[in-house]
Amino acid sequence: MVVKRDKMILLTFDVEEFDLPQEYKIPINAEEQMFIGKQGMDIIENILDKHKINCTLFITGAYANNFSASVKQLSTKHEIASHSLHHSSFQQSDLLESRLLLQKISGQDVNGFRMPRMKKIPISWVKDGGYNYDSSINPTIMPGRYNNFHLPRTVYKEHEVIRLPGSVTPNFRIPLFWLSFKNFPYSFYKKIALQTLKRDGYLSLYFHPWEFTDLSHFKLPNYIKNPSGNILADKLENLINFLKNEADFCTINSFIEKRTINNYL
């Protein structure tokens, strides 16, 4: 993809089995987890096709195994990256195994990794797994999960691996991730997204396809399940239309290539 403008939107999705209910002791079998994940990805694929934009898809090996034909089709339009082998369990060997599996299914070189739930991972493991970049950092404070306020807010290198944090605002590190998009008033989210884009020259945004299915019947916290479905999908389309006027959408690989050519990395 040719990036025509200086500012870039890195729209990314964590394509995974919908295991979130298990965090809240809500039973959900593996088949339903996969079904909801695929249902959401179909919705997202239609939106991306409609707006003719490219993105980066961080896919679990489990999802790719279940929907290999779909992943192969997605790889003709989007960058495929690794979201580990499974969403609910992890061991170091999953890094290499998931990368090789995704490469086999997609036919792409898989260069990027994102740890499920943005959990901390040694960068040496990512490097040993054969990845060029890691996007597992939300450089802010999430009570009960992580405190990354001390880490760089924008793209940087660590032990020869490029680290691309999710975007947060310059002053107070307000995250621009999926929960902010879901819960902030849309006008406020647009305002802080534009401020961050102007300061940093890019936005790194991440969502989950399952968010865009109807989650109303799950006994999840309201801040997670509302809004969902068509209402949230319409909100995402509004955001895409807004950001189209400000920057080019591109994959993380394209972003890194441009930054490297211009000696920013």
Side-chain angles (χ1 to χ4, degrees), residues 1-11 51-55 197 201-205 240-252 254-255 258:
M1 175 185 176
V2 177
V3 178
K4 297 172 288 185
R5 290 181 281 187
D6 290 335
K7 293 184 175 62
M8 289 162 279
I9 308 297
L10 314 179
L11 184 62
H51 293 276
K52 296 180 173 59
I53 58 177
N54 303 97
C55 72
L197 177 63
Y202 72 93
L203 287 178
S204 178
L205 308 177
I240 289 171
N241 281 324
F242 169 71
L243 292 175
K244 271 183 176 180
N245 295 320
E246 304 294 336
D248 285 326
F249 284 79
C250 72
T251 65
I252 295 178
S254 295
F255 170 77
K258 182 177 175 66

Side-chain angles (χ1 to χ4, degrees), residues 135-196:
S135 186
S136 304
I137 296 173
N138 194 10
T140 188
I141 297 173
M142 287 292 292
R145 287 196 179 269
Y146 44 74
N147 181 354
N148 293 326
F149 216 81
H150 63 290
L151 295 176
R153 193 179 59 78
T154 55
V155 61
Y156 64 102
K157 266 189 176 181
E158 183 178 353
H159 299 299
E160 301 180 4
V161 177
I162 296 166
R163 306 210 77 169
L164 179 71
S167 286
V168 297
T169 61
N171 294 326
F172 301 104
R173 295 203 175 202
I174 301 171
L176 293 166
F177 68 153
W178 65 286
L179 283 173
S180 300
F181 179 69
K182 184 185 291 279
N183 290 284
F184 288 165
Y186 179 58
S187 59
F188 177 70
Y189 185 90
K190 281 200 311 180
K191 179 180 179 180
I192 62 175
L194 187 57
Q195 288 174 346
T196 306

Side-chain angles (χ1 to χ4, degrees), residues 5-64:
R5 290 181 281 187
D6 290 335
K7 293 184 175 62
M8 289 162 279
I9 308 297
L10 314 179
L11 184 62
T12 74
F13 295 90
D14 294 351
V15 184
E16 62 199 29
E17 52 274 30
F18 179 56
D19 60 352
L20 181 67
Q22 293 179 333
E23 289 192 43
Y24 297 90
K25 311 301 181 185
I26 301 170
I28 181 169
N29 62 45
E31 184 178 359
E32 186 176 8
Q33 290 179 36
M34 286 296 176
F35 174 79
I36 293 174
K38 178 62 164 60
Q39 184 182 36
M41 190 61 237
D42 288 345
I43 293 168
I44 292 303
E45 184 176 9
N46 287 336
I47 292 174
L48 297 174
D49 286 350
K50 175 181 176 180
H51 293 276
K52 296 180 173 59
I53 58 177
N54 303 97
C55 72
T56 300
L57 304 174
F58 291 90
I59 305 178
T60 66
Y63 182 98

